[in-house]
Amino acid sequence: MHETSETLRSMLEPSSHRERPESTEMGNQDMSVVQWFCHFRHLLLISAFILLQGCLLGTQLPFIKTTWFAQQHSRSPVDCNDTPKLLACKQGAADLAYWSGMLSGISGFAGVVSAIALGSLSDIIGRRRIIAASMALGLTAQLALVVVVFFDCSLWLYLIAETVNSSFDSYGVWFAMMADLTRSHKAQRGPVFGSAIVVCVLLACMFVPLGSLLSERVATAVAFTLNVASLCLVLVILPETIPSLPRKDVDLHNIVMEFRSAFELLGRHSFMQRMVAVLTLGGVAYAAKATILRPYMMAHFGLDKKDFAILLPISAPSMGLCFTIGLWKLVPRFGEVRVLQVSFFANTLLNLVVILATHTWQLFVAYGILMGPGLMFLPLINAIKSNLCSEEEQGKVQGLIAAVRGFAISFADIFFGALYKWSTDGGKHTEEAWKTLLVVLG
């Protein structure tokens, strides 16, 4: 373990010969919090719009989907936000878990190619163009949801549009952009990424309760408007973060060469290979929880929109403490690997408590204490994988890792969605879902 930590530390040392001349515009000295906010001001503003949109829909979509599926099992109108323990709603939650897993699996398989392609392409033509194109595509899914909610069309219109949108995985490009903005301060990447997450959490603590109070029509309309506004901001104010774009033609040969270069990166560092393995397993666990946990908490504990909205504010203090003071103090003292181990242990403990919980208050206590430590690995992993490659390779590296993780998630989505529906007998016996959660824990 000591040898691994030393190897990692040597990899993370800033290498002057890899720095571009433009990257030293802010100097190599540590920046203050105010300077970091100014440095990220454009990205933070756009992220706030996207986050608000996600919070509005995040509280509404599970109940919109569950209610639509539940209606297929009932002759009378149902509202699964008001009656989440109704048998039809339990069956709807099981159908939602099944089809969400299937569709996420399909988009995950497609995302394997798109993540590498978009990441590599962003190294050639720039991050801003890829992000703008991805957000424009996302408007089609938002428009489909507007049609479903306002004109009472089939939910499948939105599900198919969202699957197509998710097939183009641009998350690696966003991470590459953050790596570009911190190229002169590699040692601070983990704490900076963690602090950025804290800002998002604080904003979400305000936005999520707001979303739970709105009707589904108002929330959908506002979210669509915010999506349009976010795209306009990207086109107008978001700067290109690559100082000088490489002079390469965007043709099939160069794209294929970028693919080869991306896969060759895995053989550069043994630690990179282990990091990909960790991300793959973590992605499988995340996909399983995303597919199973919300339907389980709705059907078994009877949580509604307001209950889910409370979870984030309850978790915010521990996340704020761990992602700021925790990362800024613990990482320099104990190293990234040791903090990662503690974070994974806390995350596992949180899953175990959810399985053993019998009352809603137990869930709230567990999330309030363990959510922060259990998620510290997110900024650390993003910082480590950014530091293991040169600045010219950020796009393809982030895309490659997103592709490998997405490939594993696609299998997990399909498997766990079907497993939840089978273990609960189509939602009729949600008390049996703990067996599925045990697989997630493993």
Side-chain angles (χ1 to χ4, degrees):
M1 183 57 64
H2 177 72
E3 181 181 354
T4 302
S5 301
E6 289 299 322
T7 302
L8 176 59
R9 187 177 296 109
S10 65
M11 290 179 180
L12 300 183
E13 286 291 333
S15 301
S16 58
H17 67 278
R18 290 183 180 178
E19 301 284 355
R20 300 180 183 179
E22 295 88 343
S23 69
T24 60
E25 60 182 15
M26 302 194 72
N28 291 321
Q29 296 180 352
D30 290 349
M31 295 165 58
S32 67
V33 174
V34 175
Q35 288 176 312
W36 277 119
F37 270 98
C38 293
H39 196 46
F40 278 86
R41 61 189 182 279
H42 300 110
L43 196 59
L44 286 174
L45 179 60
I46 295 170
S47 299
F49 275 76
I50 296 175
L51 182 64
L52 177 54
Q53 170 206 339
C55 290
L56 293 177
L57 291 182
T59 56
Q60 302 287 342
L61 272 177
F63 294 94
I64 294 174
K65 295 177 181 178
T66 303
T67 298
W68 189 86
F69 281 113
Q71 198 62 62
Q72 316 308 311
H73 298 279
S74 176
R75 296 181 179 179
S76 58
V78 296
D79 186 345
C80 291
N81 180 56
D82 297 330
T83 57
K85 287 193 174 183
L86 192 70
L87 178 59
C89 289
K90 291 183 177 182
Q91 293 174 309
D95 291 341
L96 173 60
Y98 177 78
W99 285 112
S100 293
M102 288 294 178
L103 296 176
S104 295
I106 293 173
S107 63
F109 285 125
V112 171
V113 177
S114 67
I116 301 177
L118 295 178
S120 299
L121 196 60
S122 74
D123 288 334
I124 300 176
I125 67 173
R127 321 284 190 217
R128 180 172 169 271
R129 294 182 182 181
I130 300 297
I131 289 175
S134 176
M135 293 185 66
L137 180 62
L139 277 177
T140 60
Q142 295 296 315
L143 182 60
L145 182 62
V146 170
V147 173
V148 170
V149 171
F150 281 87
F151 300 99
D152 199 25
C153 295
S154 172
L155 181 66
W156 282 106
L157 178 65
Y158 170 72
L159 293 177
I160 293 174
E162 179 61 22
T163 301
V164 174
N165 177 47
S166 300
S167 298
F168 293 88
D169 188 350
S170 62
Y171 287 112
V173 181
W174 284 98
F175 286 126
M177 177 172 282
M178 293 186 68
D180 294 339
L181 292 172
T182 56
R183 64 171 60 89
S184 300
H185 304 272
K186 293 183 178 182
Q188 291 181 290
R189 272 176 172 161
V192 168
F193 290 175
S195 299
I197 294 177
V198 170
V199 174
C200 293
V201 169
L202 292 176
L203 292 174
C205 287
M206 297 183 289
F207 298 157
V208 170
L210 174 63
S212 67
L213 297 175
L214 299 177
S215 67
E216 61 183 39
R217 288 196 169 193
V218 173
T220 302
V222 174
F224 180 77
T225 305
L226 289 169
N227 201 326
V228 175
S230 301
L231 177 58
C232 293
L233 288 174
V234 168
L235 294 175
V236 174
I237 71 170
L238 186 66
E240 178 54 60
T241 56
I242 301 179
S244 58
L245 294 174
R247 296 180 179 179
K248 293 182 181 180
D249 295 327
V250 183
D251 53 27
L252 181 60
H253 173 73
N254 279 332
I255 293 177
V256 172
M257 293 303 294
E258 291 292 324
F259 265 82
R260 287 186 57 185
S261 176
F263 281 102
E264 288 173 357
L265 290 173
L266 282 180
R268 179 177 301 173
H269 299 299
S270 61
F271 191 87
M272 175 77 81
Q273 298 168 6
R274 283 175 280 174
M275 182 63 66
V276 170
V278 170
L279 285 171
T280 301
L281 291 175
V284 170
Y286 169 80
K289 287 188 288 186
T291 302
I292 294 172
L293 203 55
R294 187 175 286 266
Y296 171 72
M297 295 169 82
M298 288 169 55
H300 190 65
F301 291 97
L303 300 191
D304 58 16
K305 287 189 292 188
K306 293 181 180 179
D307 292 325
F308 281 111
I310 293 174
L311 281 178
L312 185 59
I314 287 177
S315 307
S318 71
M319 294 178 68
L321 183 65
C322 291
F323 285 14
T324 52
I325 297 176
L327 289 178
W328 288 94
K329 298 296 182 181
L330 295 179
V331 171
R333 182 171 182 179
F334 299 104
E336 290 85 357
V337 174
R338 191 66 57 84
V339 177
L340 278 176
Q341 293 170 338
V342 173
S343 180
F344 285 136
F345 175 78
N347 193 282
T348 304
L349 186 59
L350 175 59
N351 296 331
L352 179 61
V353 173
V354 171
I355 294 174
L356 299 177
T358 56
H359 297 86
T360 303
W361 68 265
Q362 295 170 342
L363 295 178
F364 291 159
V365 171
Y367 272 80
I369 296 175
L370 296 173
M371 179 63 83
L375 293 182
M376 278 197 302
F377 70 89
L378 291 175
L380 282 175
I381 285 181
N382 287 323
I384 291 172
K385 66 185 181 183
S386 296
N387 289 335
L388 289 177
C389 60
S390 66
E391 304 303 333
E392 293 81 3
E393 299 167 330
Q394 289 293 334
K396 64 170 85 57
V397 168
Q398 301 286 358
L400 172 64
I401 293 177
V404 174
R405 182 174 178 271
F407 186 70
I409 287 177
S410 60
F411 283 102
D413 283 331
I414 296 173
F415 173 76
F416 283 101
L419 181 63
Y420 179 84
K421 186 172 183 178
W422 171 78
S423 65
T424 60
D425 191 18
K428 297 177 183 178
H429 304 288
T430 56
E431 66 276 3
E432 297 297 321
W434 68 270
K435 298 178 182 177
T436 306
L437 291 173
L438 279 179
V439 180
V440 178
L441 181 66

